[in-house]
């Protein structure tokens, strides 16, 4: 049974990040996904999201996303503010494993159409993360 409720589809994305389930992204992301701010050097679309989920899986153990707030607009956009906690146990975009616990936040705007995410705009508090990974 496929999930079509926009909030549930958006929340499922965080479950897949936490599980590191790259293959399951095909169930919730449109093949024509537009990522308005992809990771530098990656594709804007489903392949870029696959790369990002794999990077989280490789860089962190015990990744857990907690939804702090979620709302929906009348035209299919879902806003989600989240907090991710994990242990930094692998390489993260050139930063070797520190074995440190991390906690940082982000906000995503996703457009859900017919049960699939067709657009995403996301902002992660990477400065929070960077400070935790590099603090003396």
């Amino acid at each position: 049974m496929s999930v079509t409720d926009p909030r549930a589809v958006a929340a499922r994305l965080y479950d897949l990040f936490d599980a590191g389930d790259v293959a399951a992204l095909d169930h919730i992301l449109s093949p024509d996904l537009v990522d308005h701010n992809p990771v530098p050097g990656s594709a804007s679309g489903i392949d870029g999201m696959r790369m990002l989920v794999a990077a989280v899986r490789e860089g962190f153990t015990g990744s857990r996303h907690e939804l702090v707030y979620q709302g929906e607009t009348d035209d299919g956009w879902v806003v989600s503010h989240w907090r991710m906690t994990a242990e930094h146990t692998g390489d993260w975009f050139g930063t070797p494993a520190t074995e440190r616990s991390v906690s940082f936040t982000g906000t995503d705007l996703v457009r859900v159409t017919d049960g699939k995410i067709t657009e995403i705009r996301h902002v992660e508090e990477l400065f929070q993360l960077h400070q935790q990974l590099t603090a003396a």
Side-chain angles (χ1 to χ4, degrees):
M1 173 187 260
S2 66
V3 175
T4 58
D5 174 65
R7 287 184 190 201
V9 172
R12 180 79 177 121
L13 180 60
Y14 307 113
D15 294 339
L16 299 182
F17 266 96
D18 292 343
D21 194 346
V22 174
L25 289 171
D26 292 337
H27 299 293
I28 64 164
L29 299 178
S30 167
D32 300 321
L33 173 72
V34 176
D35 183 346
H36 291 281
N37 52 327
V39 173
S42 71
S44 169
I46 195 166
D47 288 336
M49 291 299 290
R50 285 184 185 116
M51 186 276 307
L52 189 54
V53 168
V56 169
R57 179 186 64 215
E58 292 164 10
F60 299 95
T61 301
S63 166
R64 181 176 174 276
H65 283 78
E66 170 196 358
L67 280 174
V68 176
Y69 171 81
Q70 192 176 56
E72 183 179 355
T73 66
D74 291 337
D75 59 349
W77 285 93
V78 176
V79 59
S80 301
H81 183 66
W82 50 263
R83 173 173 304 285
M84 184 184 121
T85 55
E87 304 294 320
H88 180 226
T89 55
D91 183 76
W92 174 251
F93 292 101
T95 301
T98 63
E99 306 301 326
R100 294 180 179 173
S101 296
V102 297
S103 175
F104 69 102
T105 58
T107 302
D108 298 336
L109 298 169
V110 298
R111 181 184 295 276
V112 178
T113 306
D114 298 327
K116 299 251 184 172
I117 297 172
T118 58
E119 287 184 75
I120 185 168
R121 297 175 186 275
H122 49 99
V123 178
E124 298 82 16
E125 295 291 344
L126 296 178
F127 187 67
Q128 288 176 351
L129 177 60
H130 179 74
Q131 285 182 310
Q132 294 169 56
L133 297 179
T134 61

